[in-house]
Amino acid sequence: MKIIESPEEMQKQARLLIQSGEYIAFVPTMGFLHEGHLSLIRLAKEYSDTVVVSIFVNPAQFGPNEDLDAYPRDFARDEKLCREAGADILFYPTSQNMYLDGHSMWLSEESLSTVLCGASRPGHFRGVCTIVAKLLNIVQPDFMVLGEKDAQQLRVLRRMVRDLNFAVKIIAAPTVRAADGLAMSSRNKYLTSAERKEAVCLFQSLEKAKALFAAGERDAETLKAAVRAVIEATSGKVDYIELVDDETLQSVQTLEKPALIALAVKFSGARLIDNTVLAP
Ligand code: AMP
């Protein structure tokens, strides 16, 4: 596995690979890798000759009071895990190389990013779209593998790729969970041991919604109230619980088409998200 730090070098390598007829699959991450990330790398391998993983904690997608400085980092461990999972190139740029002095070009998606995490984290998706567009220009992949764990991010980036004609196909990978159901996340590290036990409430609340939906419940308020009750039985504070149309991300009252139920919950040290699609 090659480690490349310079964007120019990465772009040069990508060109050479493309010229020699190789397919490139790309897995963008912020590092502190867990089994969720590794499942994406393994899936990427099925689609390509060369798997490029990037590790970059993107300052532009963190708000002023968010956890940029505290975000967990462990490059030595990440490098080993990437190698073992079968990555061919690990792209590990610095902030200075990704955002040159005077950087003044930003990309914003103006519909899907206004709700859910976009409403609670202003500017977040502008940071995500800008960095992913840059990474796509640098890595030039045929495929990009993204996790369904970040459902809104996946939909916003699909829209970016569609609306700006990026020549990449997005592959969605299912959410990998711990044995109790908690979705794996680098931020789980921030939880106290008591919170870690409680954090399974996100998964359990979604399971509750799924069970009600399977039993015929179609009223969004009823489903959201059931989810809220599961969360409020813990020390977690609801940031949002929304039931939205799976395509437009607009709120729905009655579920007639596939709907995304998404939630964000704050514990003392971490804001966690999870989601599931309710489809007839
Ligand atoms: P992050 O490092 O958190 O920015 O995540 C990098 C990629 O891994 C994104 O496409 C995420 O959606 C995906 N990802 C994060 N957690 C999981 C998980 N538990 N299961 C599957 N994919 C995940």
Side-chain angles (χ1 to χ4, degrees), residues 27-40 54 56 61 71 144-151 153-154 157 171 173-178 182-188:
V27 181
T29 82
M30 299 208 299
F32 208 70
L33 304 181
H34 50 66
E35 196 49 44
H37 297 113
L38 303 181
S39 74
L40 269 49
S54 66
F56 182 63
Q61 70 190 65
Y71 197 84
M144 172 163 67
V145 184
L146 300 172
E148 280 167 4
K149 156 88 185 346
D150 296 277
Q153 170 173 279
L154 172 64
L157 291 174
I171 313 292
T175 301
V176 175
R177 298 177 180 281
L182 174 67
M184 291 197 177
S185 161
S186 309
R187 289 189 168 100
N188 293 347

Side-chain angles (χ1 to χ4, degrees), residues 2 66 102 128 131 216 221:
K2 245 188 220 160
E66 293 183 1
V128 169
I131 197 65
E221 287 309 320

